[in-house]
Amino acid sequence: MATINSFRRATACLWAGAMLAELSCTGVVMSPGRSGTGGDGGPTGMTAPLCQAGAGPSPGPSYVRRLTRLEYSNTVRDLLGDTSGVADRFPAEELRLGFDNNAQALTVSPVLAEQYLLAAEAIATNAVEANWSRLLPCDPAGPAGADVCAKQFIATFGEGAYRRPLDADDTAALQAAFAAGAATDFKTGIRLVIETALQSPRFLYRVELGAAPVAPSVVKLDDWEMASRLSYLLWHTMPDAELIAAARGGLLSSPESIAAEARRMIMDPRAHAVVADFNAQWLHLGEIGAIEKDAKIFPKFSPAIAGLMREEIDRFLEDATWDPDGGDLATLFTAPYTFVNGALASYYGLTGVTGTAFVKTPVAGAFRGGLLTQGGLLSLLGKANQTSPVHRGKFVREQILCMELPPPPADLMIKPPDLSATLTTRQRFEQHAADGACSGCHHLMDPIGLGFEKFDGAGLYRDTENGQPVDDGGQLTESDVDGPFHGVLELGAKLASSGQVRSCMATKWFRYGYGRGETDADGCSLATIQARFAGGGYKVRDLLSALVETDAFLYRQVTLVGDAP
Amino acid sequence: MKPFRIDRRALLRGAGGIAIGLPFLEVMTPLERRARAAASPPRRFLVFFSPDGGIHENWIPTGTETSFTLSRILAPLEAHKQRLVILDGVENKVGGYSARPGDDHMKGMGTALTGIGLLEGTTQGGAGDPAGLAGGISVDQAIASSIGTSTKFKSLELGVQAGSSGTVWGYTAYAGANQPLPPDNNPSSVFTRVFASVGADAGAIARKQAERKSVLDAVQQSYTKLNPRLGAADRAKLDEHLTNIRDLETRLTAVGAGGATCSKPADPGKLDYKSNASFPMVGKLQTDLLMMALACDLTRVGTLQWEQSVGNVRFTWVDPAITRGHHDLSHDGDGVADTIEQLTKINVWFSQQLAYLLDSLQKAKEADGTSMLDNTLVIWINELARGNAHSHDKMPYVLAGGAGGALRTGRFLTYKRASHNDLLVSCLNLMGVAGTTFGDPAFCTGPLANL
């Protein structure tokens, strides 16, 4: 496997001139990036050996993780019943490695600090106004007195908000807030406790200090930290009552008990939402609803169709992931069905479906099947007025095969071939392939993308273009499933059998699940995930189970300077 | 697309027309009002950003330094011609020649106000090595550290579909390396943040401030106790958070001052600020909110970021023939006359939006009778010189406003490849901030000559 250095050199060649582009683009590599454990949390070239018997755990780096907007919203919902959506106002997360939950990127800007203040005030006000009767664990007018009741509230609410019992420092800070507010009245005191807690590091971040060392520089997590790791990985929210009880009982310290909790949690709809969020980020699904097309070229397409396409692919992915008899990568790439309602069926020319409800519908007779023939994806990877073999090919290379393409040379005029009333897209792109300055890199994208040509830029099947028959011959190169193919169905079948695709999925889930890039220290963790994935026949839900079984999940590395042991 | 039927003037009483004088009696004691009125008006600094490069031949004025004719793109600024300084031949050299990573859009964007190359990172652009965010503080923030310390907000970053990509394409303002200040694209959210608490009675405001101080004291206590127990990288992150909380607390005691033209705008309410068709309306709302925040002296530094770098808004309201996105268009070659015409029209439209901002500043009167435009420096920036070449030479910079008398205006200046870092130094100096270099010193020779 090529190293980062060769990738860097290859990139530098591009700057030297287009003539070198062809040379540089033969050096496509998997997972280029920086090595080491510091820096920006980026990936590294994986050179570490697989798990070695007898070697101690190798967890890789572990950072505090700030809650994302999604996690914040879910957490205040579960903590206080707040569904006001106040976190929608927070600035968007910085994307890193394609995901919005990278620990290193989740910092707090001045604007976000202020938004946290405003959100805490709004949520706390709601809680004491709308929810007062259910908020307190005691009666402040009771014989024990208001101060005792406040202490009880701070202990119980604080444990929920901080996802662990409070220490003396936590308690003192919340007591101070209560005292300041209680000078007005009891309710104000409680409100200020909530406002304080919601801006404190133990709420906004997943702070892990670890328990006893198990090896030099490696600690196990304590049970409360493990409960939070499980709940945010598998549910994007705070631990539920069962997890809290398990943490309190010291039942989250063995890999077996952790795996058992994970099995329970993966059955829950909240785990489905996590997979849906991964899919949305991985496949850029958020952009489907906003697709607009040139009405002169694609008169049947409309914003309403775009919205239906989003629902279609969401339903397809949900089914393809969780179907008890499927859920494997082969299903994802080749499933001979989709989900349509009457309007979308009519758009695609599928018969037998009417009404507004979405119905699982066979599509094998309509030349469709699998993720890559989803109308939303086909439309997203097209221009407003034509298909885009480049974007379709690039998507397969980058998102499905995890290959990074060298960028186009600087200052090169980048423009697709002009539209034509007589030529097919393939014919127009022949010029692209003949020009050495383009073909050097485009031979990695266009031959894959041209295999999609029987689907137009708005996701509709076609046999002809401008009166000429469409040739959907494609070619995969520099992968483990090289060779010619005809059409997207054959491409899907190839990808479904590719070890590279399987490894890509595991790597992307590692990055998403752990909020960081893989490092040289993560060889064993990745091997564990891949082995588990293979053992179950490449089911996505097994990736979720596997993510709680690795060194990276079960342990924490404390070698960073200044880390407490 | 659902049309917008909101009457902007009804929404923002006095903001567009700016003639209404309802001072913030509620938030100021008589003593404070007298103190403010006696002082000379503050200097202010505004950044106006539009993306994807200009069309130089339709932008450059003709004539001499003091006797010139505005080009087609700048013609909408004719009424303010004597308040402009048009700079031709200034080059973003650090964006063009720095060895730091990133593609030309990314470099142009991240260096636009910082003058320093990008950090390494994982965002892959259309060319170059993957990059992170900008490598240093932006000039507006350096200015704000000097002139923005006594206002409720050190600065306000407002966007008009300014992106939520979380990448270097999306930000112009930086508190420091890797510390972007994301623009707020939602007028309703801006209103809540800037104006919602304004207008309550003085006792209620004082109580609110006292409460916030208690809460933030307790919050700071939690960070102070926890942070030393963390690893170095984590501690640095939470220390930065703590700094931002401290900053927030010191601002809570600041109140809006209120010149003669300060009035509380009405809440714009929920609106679909992300749809393509809403772009002009949201732009006006954001301009008005920013104007009123300045008029009320809630801030003295602001950014109005239209789109983001590689922004792809479809300017259908400019010309129905425009069906492609802005960035998409900007890649067409110079031989595609229709596209050059459309890009010119888009830049004319941005010029009109700048004219609206300048109109508002001109109409707003200070306590001493001068206009806010007299005391403000506005800089119109772009991340590229020309989109299809991804170039950084001949950047389309325009300065506007008197900068409190510091800027000699009504001029068209021609430079031979002057570095834009020098322009950033001049911005500092014009705002009364000392300094002879800004950003990467390798690309900076001192303030721009003859400004």
Side-chain angles (χ1 to χ4, degrees), chain A residues 11 34 40 64 94 96 103 108 114 121 191 199 205 292 407-408 411 415 561-563, chain B residues 121-122 126-127 129 153 166 193 211-212 223 230-232 234 237 241 244 314 389:
Chain A
T11 307
R34 272 133 298 280
D40 57 6
V64 292
E94 178 190 337
R96 209 175 281 193
V108 172
E114 196 175 317
E121 289 176 354
R191 177 163 57 78
Q199 296 178 77
Y205 295 87
E292 295 188 28
D411 291 354
K415 188 170 179 293
V561 179
D563 254 316
Chain B
T122 66
D129 287 348
F153 300 95
R193 181 170 169 239
E211 270 185 10
R212 283 180 168 175
Y223 286 85
L230 302 173
D234 291 342
K237 192 192 297 183
H241 188 167
N244 289 330
R314 293 180 321 285

mmCIF file of all heavy atoms in Angstrom, chain A residues 11 34 40 64 94 96 103 108 114 121 191 199 205 292 407-408 411 415 561-563, chain B residues 121-122 126-127 129 153 166 193 211-212 223 230-232 234 237 241 244 314 389:
data_model
loop_
_atom_site.group_PDB
_atom_site.id
_atom_site.type_symbol
_atom_site.label_atom_id
_atom_site.label_comp_id
_atom_site.label_asym_id
_atom_site.label_seq_id
_atom_site.Cartn_x
_atom_site.Cartn_y
_atom_site.Cartn_z
ATOM 1 N N THR A 11 0.773 14.374 -5.385
ATOM 2 C CA THR A 11 0.025 15.608 -5.433
ATOM 3 C C THR A 11 0.907 16.738 -5.931
ATOM 4 O O THR A 11 0.510 17.558 -6.734
ATOM 5 C CB THR A 11 -0.510 15.937 -4.034
ATOM 6 O OG1 THR A 11 -1.216 14.799 -3.564
ATOM 7 C CG2 THR A 11 -1.431 17.120 -4.083
ATOM 8 N N ARG A 34 -2.211 11.792 7.859
ATOM 9 C CA ARG A 34 -1.053 11.975 8.704
ATOM 10 C C ARG A 34 -0.860 10.763 9.603
ATOM 11 O O ARG A 34 -1.808 10.079 9.939
ATOM 12 C CB ARG A 34 -1.238 13.205 9.566
ATOM 13 C CG ARG A 34 -0.772 14.473 8.908
ATOM 14 C CD ARG A 34 -1.784 15.563 9.037
ATOM 15 N NE ARG A 34 -3.020 15.173 8.373
ATOM 16 C CZ ARG A 34 -3.194 15.252 7.054
ATOM 17 N NH1 ARG A 34 -2.248 15.698 6.295
ATOM 18 N NH2 ARG A 34 -4.332 14.893 6.508
ATOM 19 N N ASP A 40 -4.632 16.546 13.937
ATOM 20 C CA ASP A 40 -6.035 16.889 13.771
ATOM 21 C C ASP A 40 -6.957 15.687 13.836
ATOM 22 O O ASP A 40 -8.107 15.762 13.466
ATOM 23 C CB ASP A 40 -6.215 17.587 12.422
ATOM 24 C CG ASP A 40 -5.726 16.727 11.282
ATOM 25 O OD1 ASP A 40 -5.371 15.560 11.544
ATOM 26 O OD2 ASP A 40 -5.698 17.205 10.147
ATOM 27 N N VAL A 64 -11.843 14.069 24.837
ATOM 28 C CA VAL A 64 -13.183 14.462 25.285
ATOM 29 C C VAL A 64 -13.993 14.786 24.038
ATOM 30 O O VAL A 64 -13.468 15.325 23.061
ATOM 31 C CB VAL A 64 -13.205 15.696 26.222
ATOM 32 C CG1 VAL A 64 -12.585 15.382 27.558
ATOM 33 C CG2 VAL A 64 -12.609 16.907 25.585
ATOM 34 N N GLU A 94 -18.204 21.363 12.374
ATOM 35 C CA GLU A 94 -17.214 21.273 11.301
ATOM 36 C C GLU A 94 -17.114 19.816 10.874
ATOM 37 O O GLU A 94 -16.982 18.928 11.703
ATOM 38 C CB GLU A 94 -15.854 21.766 11.800
ATOM 39 C CG GLU A 94 -14.766 21.663 10.750
ATOM 40 C CD GLU A 94 -13.373 21.927 11.329
ATOM 41 O OE1 GLU A 94 -13.260 22.582 12.370
ATOM 42 O OE2 GLU A 94 -12.408 21.436 10.721
ATOM 43 N N ARG A 96 -15.273 16.648 9.519
ATOM 44 C CA ARG A 96 -13.913 16.151 9.368
ATOM 45 C C ARG A 96 -14.000 14.666 9.052
ATOM 46 O O ARG A 96 -14.765 13.946 9.684
ATOM 47 C CB ARG A 96 -13.121 16.406 10.648
ATOM 48 C CG ARG A 96 -11.648 16.592 10.344
ATOM 49 C CD ARG A 96 -10.860 16.971 11.566
ATOM 50 N NE ARG A 96 -10.987 18.394 11.908
ATOM 51 C CZ ARG A 96 -10.195 19.000 12.789
ATOM 52 N NH1 ARG A 96 -9.250 18.324 13.403
ATOM 53 N NH2 ARG A 96 -10.363 20.274 13.067
ATOM 54 N N ALA A 103 -14.129 14.389 17.292
ATOM 55 C CA ALA A 103 -13.855 15.000 18.591
ATOM 56 C C ALA A 103 -12.938 16.210 18.475
ATOM 57 O O ALA A 103 -13.154 17.227 19.132
ATOM 58 C CB ALA A 103 -13.229 13.958 19.517
ATOM 59 N N VAL A 108 -15.595 24.954 20.930
ATOM 60 C CA VAL A 108 -16.683 25.873 21.277
ATOM 61 C C VAL A 108 -16.267 27.300 20.939
ATOM 62 O O VAL A 108 -15.346 27.844 21.529
ATOM 63 C CB VAL A 108 -17.052 25.748 22.769
ATOM 64 C CG1 VAL A 108 -18.035 26.843 23.163
ATOM 65 C CG2 VAL A 108 -17.663 24.380 23.039
ATOM 66 N N GLU A 114 -22.289 31.419 23.674
ATOM 67 C CA GLU A 114 -23.452 32.261 23.920
ATOM 68 C C GLU A 114 -24.750 31.505 23.654
ATOM 69 O O GLU A 114 -25.726 31.634 24.397
ATOM 70 C CB GLU A 114 -23.342 33.486 23.014
ATOM 71 C CG GLU A 114 -24.238 34.609 23.421
ATOM 72 C CD GLU A 114 -23.977 35.825 22.551
ATOM 73 O OE1 GLU A 114 -22.793 36.126 22.290
ATOM 74 O OE2 GLU A 114 -24.955 36.449 22.122
ATOM 75 N N GLU A 121 -30.944 28.803 29.334
ATOM 76 C CA GLU A 121 -31.986 29.633 29.945
ATOM 77 C C GLU A 121 -33.370 29.216 29.459
ATOM 78 O O GLU A 121 -34.315 29.107 30.256
ATOM 79 C CB GLU A 121 -31.733 31.115 29.621
ATOM 80 C CG GLU A 121 -30.523 31.677 30.349
ATOM 81 C CD GLU A 121 -30.190 33.118 29.958
ATOM 82 O OE1 GLU A 121 -30.833 33.652 29.023
ATOM 83 O OE2 GLU A 121 -29.286 33.684 30.573
ATOM 84 N N ARG A 191 -33.984 26.829 38.939
ATOM 85 C CA ARG A 191 -33.758 27.188 37.536
ATOM 86 C C ARG A 191 -32.271 27.466 37.277
ATOM 87 O O ARG A 191 -31.709 27.025 36.269
ATOM 88 C CB ARG A 191 -34.615 28.412 37.170
ATOM 89 C CG ARG A 191 -34.404 28.900 35.748
ATOM 90 C CD ARG A 191 -35.534 29.815 35.276
ATOM 91 N NE ARG A 191 -35.742 30.983 36.124
ATOM 92 C CZ ARG A 191 -34.958 32.075 36.084
ATOM 93 N NH1 ARG A 191 -33.927 32.124 35.264
ATOM 94 N NH2 ARG A 191 -35.214 33.104 36.879
ATOM 95 N N GLN A 199 -24.492 24.115 31.113
ATOM 96 C CA GLN A 199 -23.317 24.750 30.513
ATOM 97 C C GLN A 199 -22.006 24.204 31.064
ATOM 98 O O GLN A 199 -20.929 24.686 30.719
ATOM 99 C CB GLN A 199 -23.370 26.267 30.749
ATOM 100 C CG GLN A 199 -24.554 26.919 30.059
ATOM 101 C CD GLN A 199 -24.617 28.403 30.356
ATOM 102 O OE1 GLN A 199 -23.865 29.191 29.798
ATOM 103 N NE2 GLN A 199 -25.502 28.784 31.264
ATOM 104 N N TYR A 205 -19.674 17.909 27.492
ATOM 105 C CA TYR A 205 -18.640 17.021 26.962
ATOM 106 C C TYR A 205 -18.808 15.644 27.581
ATOM 107 O O TYR A 205 -19.342 15.501 28.682
ATOM 108 C CB TYR A 205 -17.244 17.526 27.327
ATOM 109 C CG TYR A 205 -16.872 18.847 26.719
ATOM 110 C CD1 TYR A 205 -17.205 20.042 27.359
ATOM 111 C CD2 TYR A 205 -16.173 18.912 25.526
ATOM 112 C CE1 TYR A 205 -16.846 21.275 26.808
ATOM 113 C CE2 TYR A 205 -15.802 20.133 24.968
ATOM 114 C CZ TYR A 205 -16.148 21.312 25.614
ATOM 115 O OH TYR A 205 -15.792 22.528 25.067
ATOM 116 N N GLU A 292 -32.495 20.489 -7.355
ATOM 117 C CA GLU A 292 -33.347 21.134 -8.360
ATOM 118 C C GLU A 292 -32.766 20.820 -9.732
ATOM 119 O O GLU A 292 -31.560 20.734 -9.898
ATOM 120 C CB GLU A 292 -33.410 22.642 -8.109
ATOM 121 C CG GLU A 292 -34.107 22.964 -6.789
ATOM 122 C CD GLU A 292 -34.359 24.449 -6.594
ATOM 123 O OE1 GLU A 292 -34.509 25.154 -7.601
ATOM 124 O OE2 GLU A 292 -34.403 24.882 -5.442
ATOM 125 N N PRO A 407 -6.403 15.594 -6.323
ATOM 126 C CA PRO A 407 -7.244 16.692 -6.819
ATOM 127 C C PRO A 407 -6.851 17.097 -8.225
ATOM 128 O O PRO A 407 -5.743 16.818 -8.668
ATOM 129 C CB PRO A 407 -6.939 17.817 -5.844
ATOM 130 C CG PRO A 407 -5.561 17.516 -5.355
ATOM 131 C CD PRO A 407 -5.446 16.020 -5.324
ATOM 132 N N PRO A 408 -7.767 17.769 -8.926
ATOM 133 C CA PRO A 408 -7.401 18.288 -10.249
ATOM 134 C C PRO A 408 -6.309 19.337 -10.109
ATOM 135 O O PRO A 408 -6.176 19.969 -9.066
ATOM 136 C CB PRO A 408 -8.690 18.900 -10.773
ATOM 137 C CG PRO A 408 -9.608 18.995 -9.633
ATOM 138 C CD PRO A 408 -9.142 18.087 -8.559
ATOM 139 N N ASP A 411 -5.677 25.743 -11.333
ATOM 140 C CA ASP A 411 -5.828 26.635 -12.480
ATOM 141 C C ASP A 411 -6.159 25.929 -13.791
ATOM 142 O O ASP A 411 -6.038 26.502 -14.862
ATOM 143 C CB ASP A 411 -4.587 27.521 -12.669
ATOM 144 C CG ASP A 411 -4.495 28.533 -11.540
ATOM 145 O OD1 ASP A 411 -5.442 28.593 -10.736
ATOM 146 O OD2 ASP A 411 -3.490 29.246 -11.474
ATOM 147 N N LYS A 415 -14.490 22.108 -16.758
ATOM 148 C CA LYS A 415 -15.820 22.299 -17.318
ATOM 149 C C LYS A 415 -16.202 21.023 -18.040
ATOM 150 O O LYS A 415 -15.412 20.479 -18.814
ATOM 151 C CB LYS A 415 -15.786 23.468 -18.305
ATOM 152 C CG LYS A 415 -17.145 23.892 -18.810
ATOM 153 C CD LYS A 415 -17.038 25.203 -19.575
ATOM 154 C CE LYS A 415 -18.385 25.623 -20.095
ATOM 155 N NZ LYS A 415 -18.904 24.717 -21.135
ATOM 156 N N VAL A 561 0.540 14.100 27.123
ATOM 157 C CA VAL A 561 1.166 14.884 28.191
ATOM 158 C C VAL A 561 0.094 15.528 29.053
ATOM 159 O O VAL A 561 -0.855 16.118 28.554
ATOM 160 C CB VAL A 561 2.060 15.981 27.572
ATOM 161 C CG1 VAL A 561 2.687 16.823 28.673
ATOM 162 C CG2 VAL A 561 3.122 15.334 26.701
ATOM 163 N N GLY A 562 0.257 15.408 30.351
ATOM 164 C CA GLY A 562 -0.676 16.073 31.250
ATOM 165 C C GLY A 562 -1.869 15.225 31.614
ATOM 166 O O GLY A 562 -2.695 15.635 32.415
ATOM 167 N N ASP A 563 -1.966 14.021 31.035
ATOM 168 C CA ASP A 563 -3.094 13.185 31.374
ATOM 169 C C ASP A 563 -2.956 12.645 32.790
ATOM 170 O O ASP A 563 -1.889 12.223 33.192
ATOM 171 C CB ASP A 563 -3.181 11.997 30.406
ATOM 172 C CG ASP A 563 -4.316 12.182 29.432
ATOM 173 O OD1 ASP A 563 -5.393 12.581 29.900
ATOM 174 O OD2 ASP A 563 -4.129 11.940 28.239
ATOM 175 N N GLY B 121 -5.082 19.810 7.384
ATOM 176 C CA GLY B 121 -6.355 19.270 7.838
ATOM 177 C C GLY B 121 -6.806 18.158 6.922
ATOM 178 O O GLY B 121 -5.989 17.578 6.206
ATOM 179 N N THR B 122 -8.091 17.873 6.942
ATOM 180 C CA THR B 122 -8.596 16.732 6.184
ATOM 181 C C THR B 122 -9.603 17.120 5.127
ATOM 182 O O THR B 122 -10.204 16.256 4.504
ATOM 183 C CB THR B 122 -9.259 15.711 7.119
ATOM 184 O OG1 THR B 122 -10.421 16.316 7.691
ATOM 185 C CG2 THR B 122 -8.324 15.278 8.225
ATOM 186 N N GLY B 126 -10.753 21.104 -4.483
ATOM 187 C CA GLY B 126 -10.651 20.697 -5.873
ATOM 188 C C GLY B 126 -9.218 20.573 -6.352
ATOM 189 O O GLY B 126 -8.970 20.106 -7.447
ATOM 190 N N ALA B 127 -8.289 21.019 -5.547
ATOM 191 C CA ALA B 127 -6.874 20.917 -5.896
ATOM 192 C C ALA B 127 -6.084 21.082 -4.605
ATOM 193 O O ALA B 127 -6.636 21.404 -3.570
ATOM 194 C CB ALA B 127 -6.478 22.014 -6.899
ATOM 195 N N ASP B 129 -3.294 20.152 -1.399
ATOM 196 C CA ASP B 129 -3.352 19.203 -0.294
ATOM 197 C C ASP B 129 -4.581 19.468 0.562
ATOM 198 O O ASP B 129 -5.085 20.591 0.602
ATOM 199 C CB ASP B 129 -2.097 19.356 0.571
ATOM 200 C CG ASP B 129 -0.866 18.785 -0.128
ATOM 201 O OD1 ASP B 129 -1.050 18.087 -1.138
ATOM 202 O OD2 ASP B 129 0.248 19.050 0.331
ATOM 203 N N PHE B 153 -21.566 43.170 22.158
ATOM 204 C CA PHE B 153 -20.956 42.147 21.305
ATOM 205 C C PHE B 153 -19.642 42.682 20.754
ATOM 206 O O PHE B 153 -19.607 43.777 20.190
ATOM 207 C CB PHE B 153 -21.886 41.769 20.148
ATOM 208 C CG PHE B 153 -23.199 41.223 20.620
ATOM 209 C CD1 PHE B 153 -24.304 42.053 20.740
ATOM 210 C CD2 PHE B 153 -23.318 39.895 20.985
ATOM 211 C CE1 PHE B 153 -25.507 41.565 21.207
ATOM 212 C CE2 PHE B 153 -24.516 39.388 21.444
ATOM 213 C CZ PHE B 153 -25.615 40.230 21.559
ATOM 214 N N GLY B 166 -18.990 23.690 7.674
ATOM 215 C CA GLY B 166 -18.021 23.346 8.687
ATOM 216 C C GLY B 166 -16.601 23.273 8.150
ATOM 217 O O GLY B 166 -15.751 22.638 8.740
ATOM 218 N N ARG B 193 -30.756 36.876 19.610
ATOM 219 C CA ARG B 193 -29.473 37.010 20.281
ATOM 220 C C ARG B 193 -29.140 38.473 20.574
ATOM 221 O O ARG B 193 -28.665 38.811 21.650
ATOM 222 C CB ARG B 193 -28.403 36.404 19.370
ATOM 223 C CG ARG B 193 -27.020 36.446 19.919
ATOM 224 C CD ARG B 193 -26.061 35.591 19.064
ATOM 225 N NE ARG B 193 -24.718 35.877 19.482
ATOM 226 C CZ ARG B 193 -23.758 36.344 18.697
ATOM 227 N NH1 ARG B 193 -24.005 36.539 17.414
ATOM 228 N NH2 ARG B 193 -22.575 36.591 19.176
ATOM 229 N N GLU B 211 -28.426 37.294 37.513
ATOM 230 C CA GLU B 211 -28.613 35.843 37.399
ATOM 231 C C GLU B 211 -27.547 35.220 36.507
ATOM 232 O O GLU B 211 -26.947 34.208 36.845
ATOM 233 C CB GLU B 211 -29.982 35.544 36.773
ATOM 234 C CG GLU B 211 -31.091 35.390 37.754
ATOM 235 C CD GLU B 211 -32.377 34.976 37.053
ATOM 236 O OE1 GLU B 211 -32.340 34.639 35.842
ATOM 237 O OE2 GLU B 211 -33.422 35.002 37.729
ATOM 238 N N ARG B 212 -27.350 35.856 35.360
ATOM 239 C CA ARG B 212 -26.374 35.296 34.420
ATOM 240 C C ARG B 212 -24.979 35.283 35.036
ATOM 241 O O ARG B 212 -24.219 34.347 34.839
ATOM 242 C CB ARG B 212 -26.362 36.119 33.126
ATOM 243 C CG ARG B 212 -27.530 35.807 32.250
ATOM 244 C CD ARG B 212 -27.524 36.620 30.984
ATOM 245 N NE ARG B 212 -28.496 36.094 30.031
ATOM 246 C CZ ARG B 212 -28.788 36.652 28.876
ATOM 247 N NH1 ARG B 212 -28.178 37.772 28.513
ATOM 248 N NH2 ARG B 212 -29.678 36.110 28.070
ATOM 249 N N TYR B 223 -15.340 24.388 35.188
ATOM 250 C CA TYR B 223 -14.223 24.227 34.244
ATOM 251 C C TYR B 223 -12.880 24.371 34.959
ATOM 252 O O TYR B 223 -11.939 23.628 34.695
ATOM 253 C CB TYR B 223 -14.323 25.259 33.105
ATOM 254 C CG TYR B 223 -15.406 24.930 32.108
ATOM 255 C CD1 TYR B 223 -16.721 25.311 32.328
ATOM 256 C CD2 TYR B 223 -15.116 24.223 30.946
ATOM 257 C CE1 TYR B 223 -17.726 25.000 31.428
ATOM 258 C CE2 TYR B 223 -16.113 23.907 30.025
ATOM 259 C CZ TYR B 223 -17.428 24.305 30.283
ATOM 260 O OH TYR B 223 -18.414 23.986 29.390
ATOM 261 N N LEU B 230 -7.339 17.081 32.864
ATOM 262 C CA LEU B 230 -7.434 16.519 31.508
ATOM 263 C C LEU B 230 -6.083 16.435 30.827
ATOM 264 O O LEU B 230 -5.133 17.118 31.226
ATOM 265 C CB LEU B 230 -8.367 17.404 30.657
ATOM 266 C CG LEU B 230 -9.785 17.581 31.183
ATOM 267 C CD1 LEU B 230 -10.535 18.603 30.332
ATOM 268 C CD2 LEU B 230 -10.525 16.242 31.188
ATOM 269 N N GLY B 231 -6.005 15.620 29.792
ATOM 270 C CA GLY B 231 -4.818 15.566 28.940
ATOM 271 C C GLY B 231 -4.631 16.891 28.214
ATOM 272 O O GLY B 231 -5.551 17.717 28.151
ATOM 273 N N ALA B 232 -3.442 17.071 27.667
ATOM 274 C CA ALA B 232 -3.078 18.381 27.129
ATOM 275 C C ALA B 232 -4.034 18.855 26.037
ATOM 276 O O ALA B 232 -4.496 19.992 26.055
ATOM 277 C CB ALA B 232 -1.652 18.330 26.590
ATOM 278 N N ASP B 234 -7.121 17.885 25.342
ATOM 279 C CA ASP B 234 -8.456 18.135 25.886
ATOM 280 C C ASP B 234 -8.480 19.404 26.726
ATOM 281 O O ASP B 234 -9.423 20.185 26.679
ATOM 282 C CB ASP B 234 -8.902 16.955 26.754
ATOM 283 C CG ASP B 234 -9.161 15.709 25.924
ATOM 284 O OD1 ASP B 234 -9.323 15.841 24.693
ATOM 285 O OD2 ASP B 234 -9.196 14.608 26.504
ATOM 286 N N LYS B 237 -8.638 22.506 24.671
ATOM 287 C CA LYS B 237 -9.980 22.719 24.113
ATOM 288 C C LYS B 237 -10.922 23.309 25.160
ATOM 289 O O LYS B 237 -11.638 24.274 24.901
ATOM 290 C CB LYS B 237 -10.515 21.374 23.607
ATOM 291 C CG LYS B 237 -11.756 21.505 22.768
ATOM 292 C CD LYS B 237 -12.437 20.173 22.526
ATOM 293 C CE LYS B 237 -11.570 19.207 21.731
ATOM 294 N NZ LYS B 237 -12.317 17.947 21.456
ATOM 295 N N HIS B 241 -12.824 27.064 25.682
ATOM 296 C CA HIS B 241 -14.244 27.204 26.023
ATOM 297 C C HIS B 241 -14.397 28.122 27.243
ATOM 298 O O HIS B 241 -15.227 29.031 27.261
ATOM 299 C CB HIS B 241 -14.821 25.809 26.289
ATOM 300 C CG HIS B 241 -16.313 25.777 26.463
ATOM 301 N ND1 HIS B 241 -17.036 24.616 26.449
ATOM 302 C CD2 HIS B 241 -17.215 26.761 26.657
ATOM 303 C CE1 HIS B 241 -18.312 24.896 26.627
ATOM 304 N NE2 HIS B 241 -18.444 26.183 26.748
ATOM 305 N N ASN B 244 -14.015 31.693 26.437
ATOM 306 C CA ASN B 244 -15.209 32.244 25.789
ATOM 307 C C ASN B 244 -16.331 32.507 26.792
ATOM 308 O O ASN B 244 -17.122 33.434 26.618
ATOM 309 C CB ASN B 244 -15.690 31.298 24.684
ATOM 310 C CG ASN B 244 -14.750 31.317 23.494
ATOM 311 O OD1 ASN B 244 -14.120 32.337 23.229
ATOM 312 N ND2 ASN B 244 -14.628 30.200 22.804
ATOM 313 N N ARG B 314 -28.437 30.340 -6.970
ATOM 314 C CA ARG B 314 -28.902 30.624 -8.337
ATOM 315 C C ARG B 314 -29.611 31.981 -8.340
ATOM 316 O O ARG B 314 -30.673 32.124 -7.746
ATOM 317 C CB ARG B 314 -29.826 29.516 -8.836
ATOM 318 C CG ARG B 314 -29.115 28.186 -9.037
ATOM 319 C CD ARG B 314 -30.056 27.095 -9.530
ATOM 320 N NE ARG B 314 -31.372 27.157 -8.919
ATOM 321 C CZ ARG B 314 -31.640 26.787 -7.674
ATOM 322 N NH1 ARG B 314 -30.690 26.304 -6.921
ATOM 323 N NH2 ARG B 314 -32.848 26.878 -7.210
ATOM 324 N N ALA B 389 -10.295 31.331 -13.517
ATOM 325 C CA ALA B 389 -8.844 31.162 -13.414
ATOM 326 C C ALA B 389 -8.432 30.821 -11.982
ATOM 327 O O ALA B 389 -7.279 30.489 -11.741
ATOM 328 C CB ALA B 389 -8.141 32.431 -13.857
#
